[in-house]
Amino acid sequence: MSTLSIFSLGGVYEIGKNMYGVQYGDDIVLIDCGSKFPDESLLGIDLIIPDITYLLENPEKVRGLIVTHGHEDHIGGIPYVLRQFNMPIYGTRLTLGLIEEKLKEHGLLQNTKRIPIDSKSVVNLGAFTISFFQTNHSIPDCLGVVFDTPMGTVVHTGDFKFDLTPVHKQSPDLHRMAEIGKKGVLVLLSESTNAERPGFTPSEKHVGDHLREAFAKAKHKVFVSTFASNLYRLQQVIDAAILTNRKLMLLGRSMVNVVRIASEQGYLHVPEGMLVEPEEANQLDRHRLAILCTGSQGEPNAALSRLSTSNYRHVKVEAGDTVILSASPIPGNEKNVSRIVDNLFILGAHVIYGSGSATGMHVSGHGSQEELKLMLTLMKPAYFIPIHGEYRMLHQHRLLAESVGMERDDVFIVNIGDVVDFTDGVPKQERKIPAGSTLVDGFGIGDVGTVILRDRKHLSQDGILVVVVTRSKADGKILLGPELISRGFVFAPEAEGLMEEASRVGLEALLKLQGEGVNQWGRVKQGLKESIGQFLYAKTKRRPMILPIIMDV
Amino acid sequence: MSTLSIFSLGGVYEIGKNMYGVQYGDDIVLIDCGSKFPDESLLGIDLIIPDITYLLENPEKVRGLIVTHGHEDHIGGIPYVLRQFNMPIYGTRLTLGLIEEKLKEHGLLQNTKRIPIDSKSVVNLGAFTISFFQTNHSIPDCLGVVFDTPMGTVVHTGDFKFDLTPVHKQSPDLHRMAEIGKKGVLVLLSESTNAERPGFTPSEKHVGDHLREAFAKAKHKVFVSTFASNLYRLQQVIDAAILTNRKLMLLGRSMVNVVRIASEQGYLHVPEGMLVEPEEANQLDRHRLAILCTGSQGEPNAALSRLSTSNYRHVKVEAGDTVILSASPIPGNEKNVSRIVDNLFILGAHVIYGSGSATGMHVSGHGSQEELKLMLTLMKPAYFIPIHGEYRMLHQHRLLAESVGMERDDVFIVNIGDVVDFTDGVPKQERKIPAGSTLVDGFGIGDVGTVILRDRKHLSQDGILVVVVTRSKADGKILLGPELISRGFVFAPEAEGLMEEASRVGLEALLKLQGEGVNQWGRVKQGLKESIGQFLYAKTKRRPMILPIIMDV
């Protein structure tokens, strides 16, 4: 019997870029391929995707990619990974619809095999018979994945909550989960996003109540900002607008796109004639209009931010309007969100902001501790791998597993690249495969590494000083310079004296080296760097990057 | 009668760098002079302080600076401002002690007049008779300030909460406040930090209960990280350590400094022999040691961060140790704090983290809505200026004032530089004085402006490409180059081909211009910039800063 191996290429010890793999012998099936946004330390980087070295080393073994749902942290890496390595993609109708938008942008649609599935599908890939179960999250058509393998059953939950009063009909399929658990699960991979949060996450319906109330109270326009992908939320905003006899305007590219795709596919119900364009909206009474917009996380170029600085021609936030932030700020975004809230208040709007639990205007799409325990109890796996979360979340999820009766030794906390190998049904966490973060910058995938980032960091702090010296090729005599050009260091018109002094210091260092008979480029450059660098630090307490250039003519 | 004017040079529409002014005729008295930390957009900037142009324009009118308490957002700007403009400083013993540490560092101690005051002092400065009242905050010796002016009474609260069971004896002086209010207050300036928070802020004593419980439970070492300046918190940690028979080690420069100053001055009571150095701590049983350390906000170089990566020789966080984060993460710091918590969990510690209201390990030093209403009710001012907060907080504070019976027209929300002028007791908000943010970078105060910051931003995103061309002075012939040197753009060894192509593109552009008879530096440089820039963007979708350098020899 072969070894059954489970690994993560992204999504553990981090939030985002989820990618997991199940391998049996020569068959690898992947689950999800997400992206995440860089933090401020990764200067100039656009996106982070999983490092797929392991797949590039084993291309003949990869049978396909199963996508659990259409969120960026599960699909955002797909076009970049496909540019390195093509494979068939399995997903539900909505999920594939969202992926296809990306493939089109990257010119990959023609060459990528896409296989629609639903919660009733059964897919045979190599040694695996793969089936699914319906879960409930903040986007429709979410799947959990069940791998029947020769060694036993592997379950991957995808993202989930147990919303028992869902807005659409997509209830979590408790009966199917119970059935899977009853038949026996060798290992469960379950998401840990809210493992730190006690209790049970409130139902999405809860938000609908508050939205309707706010719409009913509002005397003028109502703006609602939320994640475009949260179709349940969008539907509830649409319903509140209908109820209060308002037309609806959409602001923000992703909002317009998602509403189009989801309406076409039947996931969203917008009455004929309800949507208005800005020109038409302008003609309406203020209390006859609602606006759905992007930017709830404070993204500087998104609609809400532009509204807060009155940066749209056809629609303005005016005194007396209501603005609802139907989202909780994700850690790291608080400042940007607060700045927008400040500006909206300055415009005289009534702003409903803050955490969803305080305002009732947002609920999480992820299950809290009681729901994670419910999943563990339904699946009663022999072994458990908490996924989808930073270390403390995985750790808390392990404690939850222990609280429902699992042994600590049967829970495996893995980092990306760690492999859990099952031989004769017995797990062992010893082996590693290549894994990491691949940085996307412009067209470059993975070409920006530590050297470039270190240089960007240095440049960002104190700027650069280019030092150009022209020497005679014949006798090494200094013909011109040192000429100093700076950017991001000091403001040249104000620092002329400083620059002249620094040039003199450089020249002295050059002449001294010449006097000592030193004229190799390396040594001369080092001499310029050190002398000018020390001089400037003593004068300014700043350390610009110093880039000496020596031209021998 | 002259005009009574009130203005802010910092602290409104923002958090930090508090500085307020009260002027009557030719007498200006200032209140506080804080600093704040730059956000990520201000690359390379160390600190932000108030722009004091108005004071530099009116040096003969400034009578002095009154400091309400010793927090950085109230004292951090002092040495930088004093380097531009000297004036006498009034503060309580502890406040002056903390300021003097700064003055020493900046070599300003000798030349700065420092006048110790307490809550009973009366100071006459120009037209003002200034008295004080004791408040309660997260550092001892906090004052509210009362200006008796020919036009009426101006009250500035400083930072405050109403902790009725304070850890030391410094209760808020309700009787004095009542007396001031009863005599009549023309205008109140009251802080707005927690104006968004309902209820009453819990007492500092509440934290003591939780600390003692955690110390009693802990089987091994206990680490507590908190703000060094929160002496009440430090005392409670010390008391919990005494109670559980532990010695105490201090980690972090500011922790060591503050404990020294505060012990000397009698604000902190550390039993003889309780403090241990790392070498001695190493000899103790693990359950006989507590560690007080800096870094509760996730500061990358502070003690807690270094502990989380096992970066101290003499003391390590080991499995079974308890680590208490006795502070709530300030917005913007969540990610850094979370990373540390993750690492501490990986080391096997029991970590108590999260918001103070959930863990009981932190309470705010600022009064919540009920306390702000209490202050408004005690002072019952004719006019009100909410201070110390971003716009939404000032706005919420205005709503609170309205809720206790004030008219909206009697509340003035001011931005920095806005002046509220009282003529014959009637206020008018029309005039502006210069105000803004002065950026400190190294030794430079205010020399880094938008050009440098824009360049740093550009450099940080895509790096720089220096393009050097050497021409013959005689006939303009190109002798050398274009030679390309990049930093932070592409990794040179991997991008040789790209660089060669770009150099060719540059050369073609040069030759074309020469063919057209163009050889002014400006035009030639522009030609190089555009041709190479466009070429590289098409190839990489990145826009490095392009810096052409032409050497004519």
Side-chain angles (χ1 to χ4, degrees):
Chain A
M1 210 185 235
S2 294
T3 300
L4 172 69
S5 306
I6 294 171
F7 57 86
S8 165
L9 295 179
V12 286
Y13 283 59
E14 67 182 337
I15 294 279
K17 79 172 177 62
N18 287 284
M19 190 169 200
Y20 303 90
V22 181
Q23 177 165 10
Y24 185 83
D26 283 346
D27 298 311
I28 299 173
V29 172
L30 301 162
I31 305 161
D32 292 336
C33 181
S35 60
K36 70 172 181 179
F37 287 110
D39 64 27
E40 319 77 66
S41 70
L42 296 173
L43 293 166
I45 298 302
D46 301 325
L47 210 61
I48 304 176
I49 60 166
D51 177 339
I52 57 159
T53 301
Y54 181 67
L55 308 181
L56 297 174
E57 288 172 356
N58 297 280
E60 76 291 351
K61 296 183 184 162
V62 178
R63 303 285 161 255
L65 170 68
I66 292 168
V67 184
T68 60
H69 64 287
H71 278 155
E72 288 300 316
D73 55 334
H74 296 257
I75 69 171
I78 290 176
Y80 302 96
V81 163
L82 288 185
R83 270 162 59 189
Q84 306 168 70
F85 180 82
N86 209 301
M87 56 189 161
I89 299 177
Y90 298 80
T92 56
R93 215 153 43 92
L94 177 65
T95 306
L96 285 185
L98 294 166
I99 292 171
E100 282 161 6
E101 287 291 303
K102 292 178 184 294
L103 297 181
K104 271 182 222 161
E105 271 178 42
H106 287 258
L108 290 162
L109 194 60
Q110 301 308 322
N111 296 320
T112 307
K113 208 170 150 188
R114 306 170 316 271
I115 302 99
I117 52 173
D118 63 30
S119 61
K120 308 286 173 217
S121 302
V122 176
V123 176
N124 287 296
L125 289 176
F128 306 116
T129 300
I130 303 171
S131 58
F132 308 92
F133 55 96
Q134 186 166 287
T135 63
N136 182 291
H137 181 46
S138 48
I139 186 170
D141 268 17
C142 289
L143 297 178
V145 189
V146 184
F147 291 77
D148 277 317
T149 84
M151 190 86 65
T153 299
V154 179
V155 175
H156 181 295
T157 61
D159 289 4
F160 71 94
K161 66 192 282 192
F162 285 97
D163 190 340
L164 304 178
T165 57
V167 168
H168 282 236
K169 288 170 302 269
Q170 299 194 331
S171 291
D173 191 346
L174 285 163
H175 303 97
R176 172 95 170 91
M177 293 184 216
E179 194 178 78
I180 297 162
K182 197 159 188 200
K183 276 172 66 184
V185 173
L186 176 66
V187 54
L188 172 71
L189 287 74
S190 180
E191 69 120 330
S192 313
T193 314
N194 276 347
E196 295 170 286
R197 198 181 292 190
F200 212 95
T201 302
S203 168
E204 177 66 29
K205 275 257 167 80
H206 175 78
V207 178
D209 298 340
H210 287 87
L211 281 171
R212 279 192 302 278
E213 197 183 311
F215 269 68
K217 269 194 200 162
K219 296 207 174 58
H220 295 305
K221 298 198 290 296
V222 184
F223 296 79
V224 182
S225 182
T226 191
F227 301 103
S229 64
N230 194 332
L231 296 178
Y232 303 135
R233 190 71 47 82
L234 304 196
Q235 187 67 59
Q236 297 203 103
V237 172
I238 293 165
D239 293 348
I242 295 171
L243 206 68
T244 54
N245 201 14
R246 293 167 188 270
K247 300 257 180 184
L248 186 71
M249 188 168 91
L250 306 174
L251 281 182
R253 183 163 156 263
S254 65
M255 193 61 81
V256 173
N257 278 347
V258 166
V259 169
R260 179 177 52 72
I261 298 173
S263 301
E264 282 168 12
Q265 298 194 346
Y267 290 95
L268 206 60
H269 303 284
V270 190
E272 187 83 27
M274 183 182 190
L275 289 182
V276 292
E277 296 295 320
E279 296 75 11
E280 190 182 344
N282 250 337
Q283 311 296 318
L284 294 169
D285 280 345
R286 280 170 72 189
H287 66 288
R288 287 285 155 259
L289 184 61
I291 294 100
L292 244 179
C293 63
T294 56
S296 60
Q297 290 303 314
E299 303 89 332
N301 298 316
L304 189 64
S305 173
R306 293 181 56 195
L307 285 167
S308 77
T309 52
S310 301
N311 209 354
Y312 272 109
R313 187 138 51 106
H314 289 291
V315 56
K316 303 252 178 252
V317 174
E318 296 164 284
D321 287 348
T322 300
V323 183
I324 302 171
L325 276 77
S326 185
S328 292
I330 293 168
N333 297 343
E334 291 90 347
K335 277 190 176 180
N336 282 342
V337 172
S338 295
R339 195 171 306 135
I340 289 174
V341 170
D342 284 332
N343 289 334
L344 293 169
F345 271 124
I346 292 173
L347 293 174
H350 171 55
V351 190
I352 302 177
Y353 67 103
S355 81
S357 57
T359 63
M361 290 300 181
H362 181 67
V363 295
S364 174
H366 300 272
S368 301
Q369 292 180 345
E370 296 308 316
E371 291 157 279
L372 299 181
K373 289 189 220 165
L374 184 52
M375 181 63 84
L376 282 157
T377 306
L378 280 166
M379 293 295 170
K380 55 183 179 62
Y383 303 101
F384 172 47
I385 303 177
I387 57 169
H388 204 290
E390 293 177 0
Y391 184 85
R392 64 191 182 284
M393 302 165 188
L394 308 178
H395 170 78
Q396 298 288 8
H397 205 171
R398 171 169 63 190
L399 297 182
L400 295 175
E402 288 178 41
S403 79
V404 299
M406 289 195 77
E407 297 293 327
R408 175 163 281 227
D409 287 349
D410 295 337
V411 181
F412 294 86
I413 293 193
V414 298
N415 203 333
I416 53 172
D418 289 340
V419 183
V420 180
D421 286 312
F422 290 82
T423 316
D424 299 327
V426 180
K428 210 170 52 183
Q429 180 184 340
E430 288 177 347
R431 209 159 53 90
K432 272 186 172 298
I433 56 173
S437 287
T438 294
L439 308 181
V440 177
D441 182 3
F443 291 142
I445 301 178
D447 71 324
V448 172
T450 48
V451 174
I452 294 179
L453 288 172
R454 202 184 51 213
D455 284 349
R456 286 183 186 171
K457 177 79 186 163
H458 188 171
L459 291 165
S460 76
Q461 292 304 297
D462 287 320
I464 188 167
L465 185 76
V466 181
V467 180
V468 192
V469 177
T470 310
R471 302 189 302 189
S472 155
K473 203 182 264 174
D475 57 6
K477 216 181 122 217
I478 295 157
L479 301 176
L480 265 179
E483 196 169 317
L484 270 48
I485 305 111
S486 84
R487 288 290 184 277
F489 166 48
V490 289
F491 188 54
E494 286 171 7
E496 236 175 80
L498 183 72
M499 290 308 216
E500 277 167 20
E501 270 190 89
S503 172
R504 257 198 309 280
V505 167
L507 186 61
E508 275 163 31
L510 283 181
L511 294 174
K512 181 154 176 276
L513 286 170
Q514 260 185 352
E516 291 164 4
V518 176
N519 63 20
Q520 305 95 302
W521 274 31
R523 295 273 305 275
V524 172
K525 283 185 180 176
Q526 195 56 31
L528 276 173
K529 252 175 145 160
E530 280 172 11
S531 59
I532 296 178
Q534 283 161 12
F535 168 78
L536 291 175
Y537 184 73
K539 286 281 182 187
T540 65
K541 215 177 165 188
R542 299 180 198 164
R543 296 191 190 282
M545 178 183 282
I546 295 177
L547 187 62
I549 297 175
I550 296 172
M551 307 290 281
D552 286 339
V553 291
Chain B
M1 208 184 239
S2 294
T3 299
L4 171 70
S5 306
I6 294 171
F7 56 86
S8 165
L9 296 179
V12 286
Y13 283 60
E14 67 183 337
I15 293 280
K17 78 171 177 62
N18 288 283
M19 189 168 201
Y20 304 91
V22 182
Q23 177 165 9
Y24 184 82
D26 282 345
D27 298 310
I28 299 173
V29 172
L30 301 162
I31 305 160
D32 292 336
C33 181
S35 59
K36 70 173 180 178
F37 287 110
D39 64 27
E40 318 76 67
S41 71
L42 296 173
L43 292 166
I45 298 303
D46 301 326
L47 210 62
I48 303 176
I49 61 167
D51 178 338
I52 57 159
T53 300
Y54 182 67
L55 309 181
L56 297 175
E57 288 172 358
N58 297 281
E60 76 291 351
K61 296 183 186 164
V62 179
R63 303 286 161 254
L65 169 68
I66 292 168
V67 184
T68 59
H69 64 287
H71 278 157
E72 289 300 316
D73 54 335
H74 297 257
I75 69 170
I78 290 176
Y80 302 96
V81 163
L82 288 186
R83 273 163 57 190
Q84 306 169 69
F85 180 82
N86 209 300
M87 57 188 159
I89 299 177
Y90 298 80
T92 56
R93 213 152 43 91
L94 178 64
T95 306
L96 285 184
L98 294 165
I99 292 171
E100 282 162 5
E101 288 291 303
K102 291 180 185 294
L103 297 181
K104 270 181 222 163
E105 271 178 44
H106 288 258
L108 291 162
L109 193 61
Q110 300 308 321
N111 296 320
T112 307
K113 207 170 151 190
R114 307 171 314 273
I115 302 100
I117 52 172
D118 61 30
S119 60
K120 309 286 174 218
S121 303
V122 176
V123 176
N124 286 298
L125 288 175
F128 307 116
T129 301
I130 303 172
S131 57
F132 307 92
F133 55 96
Q134 186 167 287
T135 62
N136 182 292
H137 180 47
S138 48
I139 185 170
D141 269 15
C142 288
L143 298 177
V145 189
V146 185
F147 290 78
D148 277 318
T149 85
M151 189 87 64
T153 299
V154 180
V155 175
H156 182 293
T157 62
D159 288 5
F160 71 95
K161 65 191 281 192
F162 285 97
D163 191 338
L164 305 178
T165 56
V167 168
H168 282 238
K169 289 170 301 270
Q170 299 194 331
S171 291
D173 191 346
L174 285 162
H175 303 97
R176 171 95 171 94
M177 293 183 214
E179 195 179 78
I180 297 163
K182 196 158 188 197
K183 276 173 64 185
V185 173
L186 177 68
V187 54
L188 172 70
L189 286 74
S190 179
E191 69 120 331
S192 313
T193 314
N194 276 346
E196 296 171 284
R197 199 182 291 189
F200 212 94
T201 302
S203 168
E204 177 66 29
K205 275 257 168 79
H206 175 79
V207 178
D209 298 339
H210 287 87
L211 281 171
R212 279 192 300 279
E213 197 182 310
F215 270 68
K217 268 195 201 160
K219 295 207 178 55
H220 295 305
K221 297 197 291 295
V222 184
F223 295 79
V224 182
S225 183
T226 191
F227 302 103
S229 64
N230 194 332
L231 297 178
Y232 304 135
R233 191 69 48 82
L234 303 195
Q235 188 66 59
Q236 298 204 100
V237 171
I238 294 165
D239 294 347
I242 295 172
L243 207 69
T244 53
N245 200 14
R246 294 168 187 269
K247 300 258 181 184
L248 185 71
M249 188 168 93
L250 305 173
L251 281 183
R253 183 164 155 263
S254 65
M255 193 60 81
V256 173
N257 278 348
V258 167
V259 170
R260 180 177 51 73
I261 298 173
S263 300
E264 283 167 13
Q265 298 196 345
Y267 290 97
L268 206 58
H269 304 283
V270 191
E272 187 83 26
M274 184 183 190
L275 289 182
V276 292
E277 295 296 319
E279 295 75 12
E280 189 183 345
N282 248 337
Q283 311 296 318
L284 294 169
D285 279 347
R286 282 170 70 188
H287 67 288
R288 287 283 156 259
L289 185 62
I291 295 100
L292 245 178
C293 63
T294 56
S296 60
Q297 291 303 315
E299 303 90 332
N301 297 317
L304 189 64
S305 173
R306 293 180 56 196
L307 284 168
S308 77
T309 52
S310 300
N311 209 353
Y312 273 110
R313 190 138 50 105
H314 290 291
V315 55
K316 303 253 178 251
V317 174
E318 296 164 284
D321 286 348
T322 300
V323 183
I324 301 171
L325 276 78
S326 184
S328 292
I330 293 169
N333 296 344
E334 291 89 348
K335 277 190 176 181
N336 282 342
V337 173
S338 295
R339 196 171 305 136
I340 289 174
V341 171
D342 285 331
N343 288 334
L344 292 169
F345 271 124
I346 291 172
L347 294 174
H350 171 54
V351 191
I352 302 178
Y353 66 103
S355 82
S357 57
T359 63
M361 290 300 182
H362 181 67
V363 296
S364 173
H366 300 273
S368 300
Q369 291 179 347
E370 296 309 316
E371 291 156 279
L372 300 181
K373 289 189 220 164
L374 184 52
M375 180 63 84
L376 283 157
T377 305
L378 281 166
M379 294 294 169
K380 53 183 181 63
Y383 302 101
F384 172 48
I385 304 177
I387 57 169
H388 203 290
E390 292 177 0
Y391 184 85
R392 65 191 182 283
M393 302 166 188
L394 307 179
H395 170 78
Q396 299 288 6
H397 205 171
R398 171 169 62 190
L399 297 183
L400 295 175
E402 288 179 40
S403 78
V404 298
M406 290 196 75
E407 297 293 326
R408 174 162 284 224
D409 287 348
D410 295 336
V411 182
F412 293 86
I413 293 192
V414 298
N415 203 335
I416 53 172
D418 289 341
V419 184
V420 180
D421 286 313
F422 291 82
T423 316
D424 299 325
V426 179
K428 209 169 52 182
Q429 181 184 340
E430 287 177 349
R431 207 159 54 89
K432 272 186 173 297
I433 57 173
S437 287
T438 295
L439 307 181
V440 178
D441 182 3
F443 291 140
I445 300 178
D447 71 323
V448 171
T450 48
V451 174
I452 294 179
L453 287 172
R454 202 185 49 212
D455 283 350
R456 286 183 186 171
K457 177 78 186 166
H458 189 171
L459 290 166
S460 78
Q461 292 304 297
D462 287 322
I464 189 168
L465 186 75
V466 182
V467 180
V468 192
V469 177
T470 311
R471 301 189 303 190
S472 157
K473 203 182 265 176
D475 55 5
K477 217 182 123 216
I478 295 156
L479 301 177
L480 265 178
E483 196 170 318
L484 272 49
I485 306 112
S486 84
R487 288 289 184 277
F489 166 48
V490 289
F491 188 54
E494 285 171 7
E496 238 175 77
L498 181 72
M499 289 308 217
E500 277 167 19
E501 270 189 89
S503 172
R504 257 199 309 278
V505 168
L507 186 61
E508 274 163 31
L510 284 180
L511 295 174
K512 183 153 173 278
L513 286 169
Q514 261 186 349
E516 291 163 6
V518 176
N519 62 21
Q520 306 94 304
W521 275 31
R523 296 273 306 274
V524 172
K525 282 186 181 176
Q526 195 55 32
L528 276 174
K529 251 176 146 162
E530 279 171 11
S531 58
I532 295 178
Q534 282 161 12
F535 168 78
L536 290 176
Y537 185 73
K539 285 282 184 187
T540 66
K541 216 177 162 187
R542 298 181 197 163
R543 297 192 189 281
M545 178 184 284
I546 295 177
L547 187 63
I549 297 175
I550 296 172
M551 306 290 280
D552 285 339
V553 293

